[in-house]
Amino acid sequence: MSRKIKLIWDFRGQDAARIAEHHEIHLKEFIAIEKFPMDITGFEIVNELYAIAYMVVTDENMIQVRDALKPHRGEVYS
């Protein structure tokens, strides 16, 4: 079984939560268009000025998604 990678986009400022929530919509659209087998996405509000949006991909899809969507960082998803 392949390793899962959580690709993360960071948003900062007063509108961070709203932007992260909206960014997740675009991640879901990308998954539908590209017909990816995994559809794990989400957003998290870290504090009032910092939020993230994320998408989980497999090792096989990571390069393709990274090059297309330019996440800020990634980590192994467990």
Side-chain angles (χ1 to χ4, degrees):
M1 183 166 163
S2 0
R3 188 170 60 159
K4 296 176 186 173
I5 309 294
K6 181 178 181 180
L7 300 176
I8 302 168
W9 291 262
D10 299 295
F11 300 98
R12 290 179 169 79
Q14 292 179 333
D15 295 328
R18 187 177 53 79
I19 294 168
E21 183 176 8
H22 182 78
H23 192 72
E24 183 191 11
I25 294 168
H26 293 296
L27 295 175
K28 288 180 179 184
E29 290 171 346
F30 181 81
I31 289 169
I33 291 167
E34 297 296 326
K35 297 177 177 66
F36 279 116
M38 294 188 65
D39 62 349
I40 301 171
T41 63
F43 73 97
E44 296 174 13
I45 300 169
V46 179
N47 63 44
E48 63 186 36
L49 296 175
Y50 177 53
I52 65 168
Y54 64 87
M55 173 181 180
V56 177
V57 298
T58 61
D59 269 342
E60 294 80 24
N61 300 120
M62 193 275 297
I63 300 288
Q64 176 188 2
V65 175
R66 182 200 67 193
D67 291 350
L69 301 181
K70 310 280 192 256
H72 297 130
R73 58 195 174 95
E75 59 187 40
V76 175
Y77 182 77
S78 52

